Amino acid sequence: MATTDFCMPVLGADMERGIVAQWRVGPGDEVHRGDVIAVIETEKSDLDVEVFQDGWIDRLLVPEGEEVAVGAPLARIRVLDAGADPSSTPPLDQHPEPGAVPTPPGAAAATPAVHSPLLRRLAERSGVDLAHVTGTGPAGSITRADVERAASRPGTGTAARTLASPYARRLAADRSLALAGITGTGANGAIVAADVLRAIEEAGPSSGRDAGPSRPQPRRDAADRARSLRRALGDLMSRSKREIPHYYASTVVDLAAATAWLQDVNAARTVQNRMVPAALLLHAAVAGAMEQATMNGHWMDGSFRPAEGVQLGVAVSLREGGLVAPVIRDAHLLDRDQLMLALRDLVTRARRGSIRASEMVDPTITVTNLGDLGVDAIFGVIYPPQVAIVGFGSITEQPRAVEGMLAVHPTVTVTVSADHRVSDGRDAARFLSVVARTLQNPEQP
Amino acid sequence: MAVTTYRDAMREALREALHRDERVFLMGEDVGRYGGCYAVSKGLLAEFGEERIRDTPLSESAFVGAGIGAALGGLRPIVEIMTVNFSLLALDQLLNNAATLLHMSGGQFNVPLVVRMTTGAGRQLAAQHSHSLEGWYAHIPGLRLLAPATIEDARGMLWPALLDPDPVLIFEHNALYNVRGELADDAGAVDITRARLRRPGSDVALITYGGSLPKAIAAAERLASEGIDAAVVDLRSLRPLDDETILTAVAATHRAVVIDEGWRSGGLSAEIAARISELAFWELDAPVRRVCSAEVPVPYARHLEEAALPQTDEIVAVARELVHGHD
């Protein structure tokens, strides 16, 4: 048994301090990697913060409402040593002296038990956790008979370990859904993605995500918060304009093909599954970022570091004022439908204030879309350390010259503000041409 | 559109290269008078003459070495090695010379060599003529490896391979030479850097290349009749691997089966499975599975040979098990 400190995380490139707005756990609570254990208030927003170890909360070191510097210890967590027997956890001392954490007898001396594959297979098949089986073989080793005996005893199933696929775990974690309550239908009873999706559906909309124990939140009043948010954003944007030599480019893209394609696709869909134009716009921005590397990455320590994939920041305006730009992770791996779902989910949660800290990892390029507010074109200010921001205006019908004739087509103005330290007008032109080409060839996946 | 065979498409690619660039020549065992042991170069000696279609002694190390020298001297040699099994005699030339000279010369000397060889089993040629060793070459930095699995790729991969300033190995599965199909009249060079999604799907990705591609496509068709929507990825380039296409297919299906006629242990299939778990772990809804050849020397007897190789039935069974959680 060892202890580790859970420290104030860095939740943004320029974060220096944070406030513990709320503890979701208390001393003695068991925690698992990925559990949200606290809500941290930064100048920009409130973020759910996850723990990275399995263990037990030993004590909380910072009371709710207190502001501390990044890196300051917030809580002490007892973690299991590798190989220690989880069943030998001692009853928790609720008031341990700092630095005097009791060591369970035997835990330090315990060596990882070695079982034959046959035995492990048998245990897995019959749903027995070997850690809980008493061995009767030579030197206390577990025999086949021991496993069979354990399997026949009620209540000794795999309660200690839930089998779930990585994808299922990710889906559940994204929605703060506990795996324990889900029935698995995969091999060996493992929980697979279909099981999680079923559980989400059964739980109904909006439940699940807020599954954590809710406690009254000490919050600063809304006006105060809005002021602080506005100030933080102002600082960031001032820095951007001070340090980044912005240049701008724009193009008007004919959306006749895209609109026709959308109508075709949507004709076969139910209302709630219909694809929205925003999905096409995001998809095109991702395609541009993938093809034009100088628009996608970070300016760090005086040089440009291109990113391999696209972590797509999406500017979302908050009802109380202010702006956050949560990220759609690995957007380059998503198709238009997946992008749309990700966008919908992100906007809902950003406005509700339940953005997870892991979603605030630095985006590699940001998109701002003011189309629904009737703006023709928007030239954004780059979020440092990114090097470009893409703007989409509203989709409007405009007269266009098409093959010598006048026609009325839906169009959108696409802009890019880019960092002249990293790229030149030619790069922006190439980026915009990829965006335009992608939008004009919607039948290509 | 004209109907042609993989063999004829490959011959057309050779003819095009020989016509387009005077520096191009073909050499290897029996490529001239005999027309190539798989008849790929049949007729080329009469058309291009002995200077450019050169029969060599049975001496893989010597004629691959000569090819490297010719490439260094400014020519664009195409060296044919009868089968990958015999290429081991030239392994030193390929690994220690062709793949390393650019590095050893501090970037001064490229080796624009193209080596073609057949690979694979299925024709009752027994253990010394039937192995799939391309995975070994995929281990070597400095080489580009191509595996044309379609008539279009047989026609189109050679020219871009010749344009590559560095050594390129082309693996032609012997079971493909007789495959017939349509080829566009203006068919020509193809992209040799990307894998290709031969069939989209949403339930499981069958990832394969070369001689196993037709089996994977047949498996996908069978699976479709059972309501399982299988995607098929044709790797095409075995080194470098096109991670993006592989990962995109895995992200769309959350399940992957890698089909490789090479042996399982330490094989190309292992590399692909490892990349999937490194780069797409959180996309996986089931373990990555592999369908490979049995770990024995390829048997001679037909029924034993068939049993030793990846077959459509097994691909279907493994994919079904992944999707349903049981067979």
Side-chain angles (χ1 to χ4, degrees):
Chain A
M1 188 77 61
T3 63
T4 178
D5 284 342
F6 173 75
C7 299
M8 176 63 78
V10 181
L11 302 171
D14 55 344
M15 170 171 166
E16 286 170 4
R17 309 178 66 76
I19 299 169
V20 179
Q22 185 194 1
W23 281 111
R24 292 271 181 95
V25 291
D29 285 357
E30 188 175 343
V31 293
H32 293 284
R33 183 187 164 85
D35 287 353
V36 171
I37 67 166
V39 179
I40 301 296
E41 181 178 333
T42 70
E43 288 185 311
K44 284 185 250 173
S45 56
D46 287 355
L47 295 167
D48 292 344
V49 176
E50 297 142 65
V51 69
F52 290 94
Q53 287 94 8
D54 294 332
W56 292 266
I57 300 294
D58 190 63
R59 56 195 298 215
L60 304 178
L61 304 170
V62 174
E64 289 182 352
E66 190 165 305
E67 182 170 9
V68 296
V70 159
L74 301 179
R76 187 151 298 153
I77 299 172
R78 295 200 216 182
V79 292
L80 271 181
D81 297 329
D85 182 351
S87 64
S88 64
T89 308
L92 277 164
D93 180 358
Q94 296 293 331
H95 306 286
E97 292 298 312
V101 178
T103 307
T111 49
V114 179
H115 309 296
S116 74
L118 178 73
L119 207 64
R120 274 184 276 144
R121 200 178 160 82
L122 181 68
E124 208 170 274
R125 283 227 171 131
S126 39
V128 169
D129 185 350
L130 287 173
H132 297 281
V133 177
T134 316
T136 61
S141 65
I142 298 171
T143 66
R144 208 177 156 148
D146 295 331
V147 176
E148 281 163 1
R149 201 176 310 119
S152 63
R153 247 196 326 265
T156 48
T158 44
R161 179 163 147 66
T162 307
L163 294 177
S165 79
Y167 183 45
R169 283 180 190 278
R170 201 191 77 192
L171 285 177
D174 283 350
R175 291 162 177 80
S176 305
L177 202 65
L179 286 170
I182 302 176
T183 313
T185 62
N188 298 319
I191 298 167
V192 293
D195 303 323
V196 176
L197 295 173
R198 199 178 311 116
I200 291 167
E201 205 166 282
E202 281 165 8
S206 87
S207 70
R209 279 176 201 147
D210 305 316
S214 68
R215 298 179 192 188
Q217 294 199 21
R219 275 176 179 271
R220 290 181 289 168
D221 68 273
D224 196 17
R225 262 192 63 69
R227 263 199 304 279
S228 140
L229 208 63
R230 171 51 53 199
R231 195 175 53 236
L233 191 67
D235 288 349
L236 192 65
M237 293 295 107
S238 302
R239 198 183 111 204
S240 171
K241 277 284 189 175
R242 203 164 51 236
E243 292 176 2
I244 302 179
H246 283 65
Y247 72 94
Y248 311 92
S250 80
T251 189
V252 177
V253 180
D254 190 325
L255 290 182
T259 309
W261 181 84
L262 261 186
Q263 272 171 357
D264 257 16
V265 168
N266 285 337
R269 296 190 178 193
T270 58
V271 175
Q272 64 265 37
N273 287 326
R274 282 195 188 148
M275 196 184 285
V276 297
L280 268 59
L281 299 179
L282 289 188
H283 174 251
V286 172
M290 283 305 282
E291 210 152 311
Q292 194 54 46
T294 52
M295 298 286 145
N296 186 46
H298 296 139
W299 177 269
M300 306 273 266
D301 305 325
S303 69
F304 175 56
R305 299 187 187 164
E308 277 187 8
V310 177
Q311 313 302 324
L312 186 67
V314 182
V316 178
S317 55
L318 300 178
R319 295 216 173 85
E320 68 262 35
L323 201 59
V324 288
V327 64
I328 298 178
R329 302 187 81 160
D330 294 328
H332 59 293
L333 299 179
L334 304 182
D335 64 22
R336 283 171 286 223
D337 276 310
Q338 290 165 326
L339 275 173
M340 181 172 73
L341 289 177
L343 175 68
R344 195 180 284 165
D345 179 50
L346 217 53
V347 170
T348 317
R349 285 186 297 125
R351 297 215 163 121
R352 202 194 302 142
S354 64
I355 290 289
R356 295 169 77 86
S358 56
E359 282 164 349
M360 291 301 285
V361 294
D362 290 331
T364 56
I365 186 169
T366 294
V367 167
T368 176
N369 181 354
L370 286 186
D372 49 356
L373 298 177
V375 166
D376 284 340
I378 164 88
F379 290 89
V381 177
I382 299 168
Y383 282 74
Q386 295 165 55
V387 297
I389 182 166
V390 186
F392 289 107
S394 46
I395 299 171
T396 54
E397 301 222 308
Q398 297 292 341
R400 308 268 298 166
V402 178
E403 290 173 5
M405 303 279 284
L406 197 59
V408 175
H409 280 189
T411 63
V412 66
T413 301
V414 187
T415 68
V416 59
S417 312
D419 184 338
H420 224 324
R421 294 171 301 185
V422 177
S423 62
D424 306 315
R426 227 166 59 127
D427 300 78
R430 212 174 291 148
F431 172 83
L432 287 175
S433 79
V434 175
V435 173
R437 195 178 67 219
T438 309
L439 285 170
Q440 282 159 350
N441 296 284
E443 65 287 350
Q444 287 171 11
Chain B
M1 277 296 184
V3 172
T4 185
T5 63
Y6 184 96
R7 171 186 293 111
D8 291 343
M10 188 58 79
R11 185 185 307 121
E12 270 313 299
L14 285 166
R15 291 186 67 238
E16 181 200 9
L18 288 158
H19 276 300
R20 273 175 91 158
D21 190 337
E22 284 200 334
R23 299 172 300 168
V24 172
F25 69 98
L26 173 70
M27 71 171 157
E29 293 160 1
D30 288 336
V31 299
R33 277 173 193 78
Y34 187 65
C37 75
Y38 287 95
V40 170
S41 52
K42 203 170 175 181
L44 296 186
L45 178 62
E47 187 175 354
F48 295 98
E50 285 186 351
E51 280 282 296
R52 304 186 68 198
I53 308 295
R54 305 176 80 101
D55 278 322
T56 64
L58 305 186
S59 54
E60 281 77 5
S61 179
F63 68 74
V64 171
I68 293 170
L72 286 169
L75 297 179
R76 291 292 180 273
I78 302 170
V79 175
E80 176 178 315
I81 300 178
M82 208 177 270
T83 85
V84 70
N85 306 270
F86 313 148
S87 75
L88 300 187
L89 290 158
L91 188 55
D92 176 55
Q93 292 291 0
L94 289 169
L95 168 53
N96 280 325
N97 290 329
T100 54
L101 278 177
L102 181 64
H103 169 79
M104 294 299 289
S105 67
Q108 294 182 83
F109 301 128
N110 295 90
V111 182
L113 168 75
V114 171
V115 180
R116 298 174 42 238
M117 55 185 115
T118 55
T119 185
R123 295 168 70 96
Q124 280 198 277
L125 295 173
Q128 291 160 327
H129 297 68
S130 298
H131 288 146
S132 293
L133 304 179
E134 50 275 12
W136 294 15
Y137 288 100
H139 186 59
I140 304 173
L143 299 181
R144 179 188 290 283
L145 265 63
L146 303 176
T150 63
I151 291 170
E152 186 194 9
D153 282 349
R155 177 68 184 83
M157 281 185 163
L158 183 66
W159 183 249
L162 284 164
L163 294 183
D164 191 315
D166 298 311
V168 179
L169 272 48
I170 301 179
F171 293 89
E172 301 162 18
H173 195 287
N174 66 45
L176 294 172
Y177 284 122
N178 289 329
V179 169
R180 296 182 76 81
E182 290 195 328
L183 183 67
D185 298 328
D186 60 348
V190 295
D191 177 11
I192 57 170
T193 64
R194 303 300 300 264
R196 198 157 286 167
L197 191 63
R198 294 292 181 198
R199 181 192 166 103
S202 57
D203 291 331
V204 57
L206 308 179
I207 299 166
T208 191
Y209 67 93
S212 299
L213 179 68
K215 296 173 183 176
I217 289 174
E221 280 161 7
R222 290 247 303 272
L223 288 163
S225 69
E226 300 177 13
I228 294 175
D229 189 13
V232 178
V233 174
D234 175 5
L235 295 172
R236 301 176 74 244
S237 169
L238 307 185
R239 182 184 182 98
L241 284 168
D242 174 10
D243 288 339
E244 190 189 338
T245 302
I246 297 171
L247 298 179
T248 304
V250 172
T253 58
H254 307 291
R255 304 177 186 94
V257 182
V258 185
I259 302 116
D260 176 12
E261 200 177 301
W263 293 303
R264 176 186 305 252
S265 301
L268 192 57
S269 61
E271 174 63 27
I272 294 163
R275 287 184 191 216
I276 292 171
S277 43
E278 280 173 350
L279 303 172
F281 183 76
W282 298 105
E283 294 293 347
L284 289 175
D285 204 21
V288 178
R289 293 285 301 271
R290 285 182 284 164
V291 178
C292 300
S293 283
E295 303 221 5
V296 294
V298 173
Y300 168 74
R302 177 171 297 286
H303 62 295
L304 292 179
E305 184 179 38
E306 281 172 4
L309 303 179
Q311 301 294 358
T312 303
D313 283 349
E314 191 184 356
I315 302 170
V316 168
V318 168
R320 192 191 289 138
E321 199 180 319
L322 273 194
V323 173
H324 293 319
H326 55 81
D327 198 2

PDB file of all heavy atoms in Angstrom, chain A residues 78 91 148 155 174 215-216 220 225 229 231 249 305 322 358 360 399 415 437 440:
ATOM      1  N   ARG A  78      -4.729   6.512  -1.321  1.00  0.00           N
ATOM      2  CA  ARG A  78      -3.980   5.283  -1.096  1.00  0.00           C
ATOM      3  C   ARG A  78      -4.155   4.410  -2.322  1.00  0.00           C
ATOM      4  O   ARG A  78      -5.281   4.141  -2.738  1.00  0.00           O
ATOM      5  CB  ARG A  78      -4.565   4.513   0.081  1.00  0.00           C
ATOM      6  CG  ARG A  78      -4.424   5.237   1.381  1.00  0.00           C
ATOM      7  CD  ARG A  78      -4.570   4.214   2.455  1.00  0.00           C
ATOM      8  NE  ARG A  78      -5.278   4.779   3.585  1.00  0.00           N
ATOM      9  CZ  ARG A  78      -5.502   4.083   4.684  1.00  0.00           C
ATOM     10  NH1 ARG A  78      -5.137   2.806   4.745  1.00  0.00           N
ATOM     11  NH2 ARG A  78      -6.126   4.631   5.687  1.00  0.00           N
ATOM     12  N   PRO A  91      -9.434  -2.062   7.144  1.00  0.00           N
ATOM     13  CA  PRO A  91     -10.476  -1.054   7.379  1.00  0.00           C
ATOM     14  C   PRO A  91      -9.799   0.318   7.453  1.00  0.00           C
ATOM     15  O   PRO A  91      -8.718   0.449   8.018  1.00  0.00           O
ATOM     16  CB  PRO A  91     -11.075  -1.456   8.725  1.00  0.00           C
ATOM     17  CG  PRO A  91     -10.092  -2.403   9.326  1.00  0.00           C
ATOM     18  CD  PRO A  91      -9.322  -3.010   8.216  1.00  0.00           C
ATOM     19  N   GLU A 148     -13.329 -24.931  -8.936  1.00  0.00           N
ATOM     20  CA  GLU A 148     -14.675 -25.492  -9.140  1.00  0.00           C
ATOM     21  C   GLU A 148     -15.537 -25.320  -7.885  1.00  0.00           C
ATOM     22  O   GLU A 148     -16.723 -25.018  -7.966  1.00  0.00           O
ATOM     23  CB  GLU A 148     -14.554 -26.973  -9.518  1.00  0.00           C
ATOM     24  CG  GLU A 148     -14.191 -27.123 -10.995  1.00  0.00           C
ATOM     25  CD  GLU A 148     -13.654 -28.497 -11.355  1.00  0.00           C
ATOM     26  OE1 GLU A 148     -13.573 -29.372 -10.454  1.00  0.00           O
ATOM     27  OE2 GLU A 148     -13.299 -28.688 -12.527  1.00  0.00           O
ATOM     28  N   GLY A 155     -22.465 -16.086  -4.961  1.00  0.00           N
ATOM     29  CA  GLY A 155     -21.953 -14.801  -4.484  1.00  0.00           C
ATOM     30  C   GLY A 155     -20.455 -14.629  -4.613  1.00  0.00           C
ATOM     31  O   GLY A 155     -19.898 -13.687  -4.086  1.00  0.00           O
ATOM     32  N   ASP A 174     -17.292   8.561 -21.103  1.00  0.00           N
ATOM     33  CA  ASP A 174     -17.716   9.830 -21.693  1.00  0.00           C
ATOM     34  C   ASP A 174     -19.017  10.325 -21.065  1.00  0.00           C
ATOM     35  O   ASP A 174     -19.308  11.509 -21.068  1.00  0.00           O
ATOM     36  CB  ASP A 174     -17.946   9.673 -23.206  1.00  0.00           C
ATOM     37  CG  ASP A 174     -16.618   9.648 -23.951  1.00  0.00           C
ATOM     38  OD1 ASP A 174     -15.592   9.937 -23.307  1.00  0.00           O
ATOM     39  OD2 ASP A 174     -16.625   9.327 -25.152  1.00  0.00           O
ATOM     40  N   ARG A 215     -23.737  17.276  -4.712  1.00  0.00           N
ATOM     41  CA  ARG A 215     -23.744  17.975  -3.437  1.00  0.00           C
ATOM     42  C   ARG A 215     -23.982  19.444  -3.744  1.00  0.00           C
ATOM     43  O   ARG A 215     -23.700  19.911  -4.837  1.00  0.00           O
ATOM     44  CB  ARG A 215     -22.386  17.835  -2.746  1.00  0.00           C
ATOM     45  CG  ARG A 215     -22.044  16.403  -2.418  1.00  0.00           C
ATOM     46  CD  ARG A 215     -20.695  16.351  -1.763  1.00  0.00           C
ATOM     47  NE  ARG A 215     -20.246  14.957  -1.717  1.00  0.00           N
ATOM     48  CZ  ARG A 215     -19.181  14.561  -1.080  1.00  0.00           C
ATOM     49  NH1 ARG A 215     -18.444  15.436  -0.427  1.00  0.00           N
ATOM     50  NH2 ARG A 215     -18.823  13.306  -1.065  1.00  0.00           N
ATOM     51  N   PRO A 216     -24.503  20.153  -2.774  1.00  0.00           N
ATOM     52  CA  PRO A 216     -24.710  21.581  -3.029  1.00  0.00           C
ATOM     53  C   PRO A 216     -23.381  22.249  -3.374  1.00  0.00           C
ATOM     54  O   PRO A 216     -22.366  21.965  -2.760  1.00  0.00           O
ATOM     55  CB  PRO A 216     -25.265  22.113  -1.706  1.00  0.00           C
ATOM     56  CG  PRO A 216     -24.966  21.057  -0.695  1.00  0.00           C
ATOM     57  CD  PRO A 216     -24.891  19.769  -1.439  1.00  0.00           C
ATOM     58  N   ARG A 220     -19.553  31.144  -6.702  1.00  0.00           N
ATOM     59  CA  ARG A 220     -19.591  32.596  -6.684  1.00  0.00           C
ATOM     60  C   ARG A 220     -20.803  33.008  -7.500  1.00  0.00           C
ATOM     61  O   ARG A 220     -21.282  32.258  -8.331  1.00  0.00           O
ATOM     62  CB  ARG A 220     -18.316  33.141  -7.316  1.00  0.00           C
ATOM     63  CG  ARG A 220     -17.128  32.878  -6.425  1.00  0.00           C
ATOM     64  CD  ARG A 220     -15.888  33.448  -7.054  1.00  0.00           C
ATOM     65  NE  ARG A 220     -15.497  32.671  -8.212  1.00  0.00           N
ATOM     66  CZ  ARG A 220     -14.575  33.075  -9.083  1.00  0.00           C
ATOM     67  NH1 ARG A 220     -14.021  34.253  -8.932  1.00  0.00           N
ATOM     68  NH2 ARG A 220     -14.228  32.326 -10.093  1.00  0.00           N
ATOM     69  N   ARG A 225     -18.865  35.489 -11.790  1.00  0.00           N
ATOM     70  CA  ARG A 225     -18.278  34.478 -12.664  1.00  0.00           C
ATOM     71  C   ARG A 225     -18.153  34.996 -14.093  1.00  0.00           C
ATOM     72  O   ARG A 225     -17.139  34.807 -14.745  1.00  0.00           O
ATOM     73  CB  ARG A 225     -19.170  33.232 -12.669  1.00  0.00           C
ATOM     74  CG  ARG A 225     -18.695  32.160 -11.755  1.00  0.00           C
ATOM     75  CD  ARG A 225     -19.446  30.866 -12.025  1.00  0.00           C
ATOM     76  NE  ARG A 225     -19.196  30.350 -13.378  1.00  0.00           N
ATOM     77  CZ  ARG A 225     -18.045  29.864 -13.786  1.00  0.00           C
ATOM     78  NH1 ARG A 225     -17.006  29.837 -12.967  1.00  0.00           N
ATOM     79  NH2 ARG A 225     -17.891  29.397 -15.012  1.00  0.00           N
ATOM     80  N   LEU A 229     -14.782  35.305 -16.237  1.00  0.00           N
ATOM     81  CA  LEU A 229     -14.647  34.606 -17.519  1.00  0.00           C
ATOM     82  C   LEU A 229     -14.275  35.588 -18.619  1.00  0.00           C
ATOM     83  O   LEU A 229     -13.405  35.344 -19.441  1.00  0.00           O
ATOM     84  CB  LEU A 229     -15.991  33.942 -17.841  1.00  0.00           C
ATOM     85  CG  LEU A 229     -15.964  32.697 -18.701  1.00  0.00           C
ATOM     86  CD1 LEU A 229     -15.207  31.585 -18.009  1.00  0.00           C
ATOM     87  CD2 LEU A 229     -17.401  32.245 -18.990  1.00  0.00           C
ATOM     88  N   ARG A 231     -12.803  38.405 -18.267  1.00  0.00           N
ATOM     89  CA  ARG A 231     -11.446  38.920 -18.071  1.00  0.00           C
ATOM     90  C   ARG A 231     -10.416  37.915 -18.611  1.00  0.00           C
ATOM     91  O   ARG A 231      -9.475  38.270 -19.300  1.00  0.00           O
ATOM     92  CB  ARG A 231     -11.198  39.201 -16.584  1.00  0.00           C
ATOM     93  CG  ARG A 231      -9.959  40.066 -16.353  1.00  0.00           C
ATOM     94  CD  ARG A 231      -9.794  40.437 -14.899  1.00  0.00           C
ATOM     95  NE  ARG A 231      -9.826  39.270 -14.034  1.00  0.00           N
ATOM     96  CZ  ARG A 231     -10.657  39.107 -13.017  1.00  0.00           C
ATOM     97  NH1 ARG A 231     -11.524  40.041 -12.719  1.00  0.00           N
ATOM     98  NH2 ARG A 231     -10.621  38.012 -12.288  1.00  0.00           N
ATOM     99  N   ALA A 249      -7.719  35.192 -44.722  1.00  0.00           N
ATOM    100  CA  ALA A 249      -8.121  34.874 -46.091  1.00  0.00           C
ATOM    101  C   ALA A 249      -9.554  34.363 -46.051  1.00  0.00           C
ATOM    102  O   ALA A 249      -9.986  33.820 -45.037  1.00  0.00           O
ATOM    103  CB  ALA A 249      -7.198  33.810 -46.681  1.00  0.00           C
ATOM    104  N   ARG A 305       4.994  23.163 -33.984  1.00  0.00           N
ATOM    105  CA  ARG A 305       4.936  21.708 -33.865  1.00  0.00           C
ATOM    106  C   ARG A 305       3.647  21.217 -34.523  1.00  0.00           C
ATOM    107  O   ARG A 305       2.569  21.353 -33.950  1.00  0.00           O
ATOM    108  CB  ARG A 305       4.929  21.284 -32.394  1.00  0.00           C
ATOM    109  CG  ARG A 305       6.182  21.741 -31.716  1.00  0.00           C
ATOM    110  CD  ARG A 305       6.297  21.208 -30.320  1.00  0.00           C
ATOM    111  NE  ARG A 305       7.451  21.828 -29.689  1.00  0.00           N
ATOM    112  CZ  ARG A 305       7.686  21.835 -28.394  1.00  0.00           C
ATOM    113  NH1 ARG A 305       6.835  21.245 -27.583  1.00  0.00           N
ATOM    114  NH2 ARG A 305       8.751  22.404 -27.916  1.00  0.00           N
ATOM    115  N   GLY A 322     -19.504  34.922 -22.499  1.00  0.00           N
ATOM    116  CA  GLY A 322     -18.229  34.224 -22.541  1.00  0.00           C
ATOM    117  C   GLY A 322     -18.257  33.099 -23.539  1.00  0.00           C
ATOM    118  O   GLY A 322     -19.264  32.833 -24.202  1.00  0.00           O
ATOM    119  N   SER A 358     -10.564  16.256 -19.508  1.00  0.00           N
ATOM    120  CA  SER A 358      -9.840  15.639 -20.605  1.00  0.00           C
ATOM    121  C   SER A 358     -10.285  16.198 -21.951  1.00  0.00           C
ATOM    122  O   SER A 358      -9.615  16.034 -22.951  1.00  0.00           O
ATOM    123  CB  SER A 358     -10.018  14.123 -20.580  1.00  0.00           C
ATOM    124  OG  SER A 358     -11.381  13.806 -20.603  1.00  0.00           O
ATOM    125  N   MET A 360     -10.614  19.352 -22.392  1.00  0.00           N
ATOM    126  CA  MET A 360     -10.004  20.667 -22.511  1.00  0.00           C
ATOM    127  C   MET A 360      -8.548  20.550 -22.947  1.00  0.00           C
ATOM    128  O   MET A 360      -7.824  21.516 -22.903  1.00  0.00           O
ATOM    129  CB  MET A 360     -10.109  21.430 -21.186  1.00  0.00           C
ATOM    130  CG  MET A 360     -11.534  21.819 -20.847  1.00  0.00           C
ATOM    131  SD  MET A 360     -12.317  22.865 -22.100  1.00  0.00           S
ATOM    132  CE  MET A 360     -11.490  24.423 -21.757  1.00  0.00           C
ATOM    133  N   PRO A 399     -27.067  35.186 -55.601  1.00  0.00           N
ATOM    134  CA  PRO A 399     -26.976  35.061 -57.054  1.00  0.00           C
ATOM    135  C   PRO A 399     -25.549  34.679 -57.451  1.00  0.00           C
ATOM    136  O   PRO A 399     -24.594  35.233 -56.909  1.00  0.00           O
ATOM    137  CB  PRO A 399     -27.317  36.470 -57.557  1.00  0.00           C
ATOM    138  CG  PRO A 399     -27.097  37.360 -56.397  1.00  0.00           C
ATOM    139  CD  PRO A 399     -27.276  36.553 -55.158  1.00  0.00           C
ATOM    140  N   THR A 415     -13.652  31.497 -43.779  1.00  0.00           N
ATOM    141  CA  THR A 415     -12.466  32.324 -43.551  1.00  0.00           C
ATOM    142  C   THR A 415     -11.448  31.531 -42.755  1.00  0.00           C
ATOM    143  O   THR A 415     -11.784  30.553 -42.103  1.00  0.00           O
ATOM    144  CB  THR A 415     -12.818  33.571 -42.718  1.00  0.00           C
ATOM    145  OG1 THR A 415     -13.152  33.134 -41.402  1.00  0.00           O
ATOM    146  CG2 THR A 415     -13.975  34.332 -43.322  1.00  0.00           C
ATOM    147  N   ARG A 437     -13.257  22.282 -51.799  1.00  0.00           N
ATOM    148  CA  ARG A 437     -13.367  21.061 -52.600  1.00  0.00           C
ATOM    149  C   ARG A 437     -14.139  19.997 -51.827  1.00  0.00           C
ATOM    150  O   ARG A 437     -14.998  19.311 -52.372  1.00  0.00           O
ATOM    151  CB  ARG A 437     -11.959  20.554 -52.927  1.00  0.00           C
ATOM    152  CG  ARG A 437     -11.912  19.524 -54.026  1.00  0.00           C
ATOM    153  CD  ARG A 437     -10.479  19.118 -54.316  1.00  0.00           C
ATOM    154  NE  ARG A 437      -9.890  18.406 -53.194  1.00  0.00           N
ATOM    155  CZ  ARG A 437      -8.636  18.561 -52.780  1.00  0.00           C
ATOM    156  NH1 ARG A 437      -7.833  19.420 -53.371  1.00  0.00           N
ATOM    157  NH2 ARG A 437      -8.179  17.870 -51.768  1.00  0.00           N
ATOM    158  N   GLN A 440     -17.735  20.759 -51.851  1.00  0.00           N
ATOM    159  CA  GLN A 440     -18.369  20.643 -53.160  1.00  0.00           C
ATOM    160  C   GLN A 440     -18.433  19.212 -53.667  1.00  0.00           C
ATOM    161  O   GLN A 440     -19.063  18.935 -54.679  1.00  0.00           O
ATOM    162  CB  GLN A 440     -17.632  21.536 -54.169  1.00  0.00           C
ATOM    163  CG  GLN A 440     -18.045  22.991 -53.975  1.00  0.00           C
ATOM    164  CD  GLN A 440     -17.041  23.960 -54.552  1.00  0.00           C
ATOM    165  OE1 GLN A 440     -15.947  23.565 -54.931  1.00  0.00           O
ATOM    166  NE2 GLN A 440     -17.406  25.223 -54.612  1.00  0.00           N
TER     167      GLN A 440
END
